[in-house]
Amino acid sequence: MRFDTHPYGVVAGFYDELAALYSLGRIPATKRLQRDWIARGDRVLYAGVGRGEDALEALHRGARVTAVDLAPRMLERLRRRLGREGLEATLLVGDVARVDLEGCFDVVVANYFLNLFDQAHAEAMLARLVERVAPGGALFIADFAPARGGRLGRWLTALHYRPVNAIAWALGLCAWHPIFDHRAMLGRAGLVIEAEVRLSLGCGPDPAYVSIRARRPRQGSEEGGGAGVACAGASPSARPSS
Ligand SMILES: C[S@@+](CC[C@H](N)C(=O)[O-])C[C@H]1O[C@@H](n2cnc3c(N)ncnc32)[C@H](O)[C@@H]1O
């Protein structure tokens, strides 16, 4: 195994377990429910795939998966799982905004990914990802959910989110920022929200996690077709990392 000094490489061995524990299982649950949104044969791009439990689910559904991550060690763990389960995917080490990808994807997935960046960079990254979605295709996001339950909800959400945001920021894992208003961001990116599932941590509405499916309108459709540049070509092709 290569030595990996990327901050996410250092936590690769226990990241998924810690996320599951901290969220009382809601983080993996928000990703798991997306498997019903994926159809056999879909071309799916995972941005910042990490260890890729969600990508494995998609492969079991019969999707064709391309997965990108900056941390080689994350992808190394995914590669081993693929080998054990007899599955194949294209794994690319690099920045998903710069990596050599061609063509469109039916689905682009950004799970617990945009929240690594501050608001401006997250919006820029989202715009890059939307460019990779085929017109009529979808973008999925799983993330921390903004509070819904008034002042108490905002307070409980901050109590749950801010300490981990501060620790992750101090370790260089993410930017310091409030939970994003994903609905507004997706709207600004020209996408139409089709499904949104909130999984609360306890019995009230907050704190919670969310999984969203948003559609990129077809060019010239009644919905507007307003999302960025259309990606060219029907099939994605990418240069594998190994
Ligand atoms: C918070 S983790 C989430 C991983 C996975 N999506 C999940 O839900 O478990 C973020 C991942 O994004 C990767 N990453 C960070 N910046 C990236 C970039 N610009 N391009 C590709 N991957 C990136 C990190 O290495 C890390 O594995």
Side-chain angles (χ1 to χ4, degrees):
M1 183 188 299
R2 272 174 288 182
F3 183 64
D4 184 353
T5 52
H6 186 278
Y8 275 100
V10 177
V11 301
F14 55 89
Y15 174 80
D16 282 11
E17 291 75 12
L18 205 60
L21 193 67
Y22 164 76
S23 68
L24 304 181
R26 302 315 186 264
I27 287 177
T30 49
K31 293 188 278 185
R32 245 185 342 260
L33 59 86
Q34 294 172 348
R35 74 184 151 198
D36 294 336
W37 298 346
I38 289 175
R40 172 166 293 280
D42 274 354
R43 300 154 300 172
V44 187
L45 171 66
Y46 282 85
V49 70
R51 279 165 47 182
E53 285 293 334
D54 41 8
L56 287 159
E57 297 264 11
L59 285 163
H60 283 294
R61 293 280 294 190
R64 290 170 283 162
V65 167
T66 299
V68 185
D69 203 287
L70 267 183
R73 211 162 151 220
M74 285 286 195
L75 286 180
E76 196 56 50
R77 295 185 74 101
L78 176 53
R79 187 172 283 118
R80 272 190 266 146
R81 279 289 297 277
L82 292 173
R84 281 203 299 276
E85 298 186 27
L87 297 167
E88 280 182 23
T90 302
L91 305 188
L92 301 166
V93 177
D95 180 344
V96 70
R98 293 165 194 267
V99 83
D100 187 14
L101 290 168
E102 284 170 31
C104 306
F105 293 83
D106 301 301
V107 179
V108 172
V109 184
N111 285 338
Y112 299 93
F113 178 65
L114 294 177
N115 71 15
L116 305 183
F117 311 104
D118 62 29
Q119 181 85 43
H121 285 102
E123 302 241 9
M125 180 60 85
L126 178 60
R128 299 299 294 269
L129 296 182
V130 171
E131 287 173 14
R132 302 258 61 94
V133 181
L139 185 128
F140 302 168
I141 290 181
D143 208 338
F144 289 89
R148 280 214 176 144
R151 183 185 288 194
L152 179 63
R154 285 199 297 278
W155 187 79
L156 290 172
T157 298
L159 196 66
H160 179 65
Y161 167 73
R162 274 305 187 186
V164 79
N165 181 219
I167 293 167
W169 169 79
L171 294 174
L173 293 168
C174 73
W176 170 259
H177 59 78
I179 294 174
F180 293 140
D181 179 348
H182 306 100
R183 298 183 70 88
M185 284 172 69
L186 290 165
R188 284 194 289 275
L191 303 184
V192 179
I193 294 175
E194 281 187 339
E196 180 175 1
V197 182
R198 273 174 75 96
L199 299 181
S200 174
L201 202 62
C203 39
D206 300 306
Y209 292 82
V210 69
S211 204
I212 298 176
R213 185 179 78 229
R215 184 76 47 197
R216 177 176 186 178
R218 292 179 192 283
Q219 248 72 27
S221 75
E222 284 175 12
E223 291 154 327
V229 187
C231 53
S235 307
S237 71
R239 217 177 26 238
S241 61
S242 59

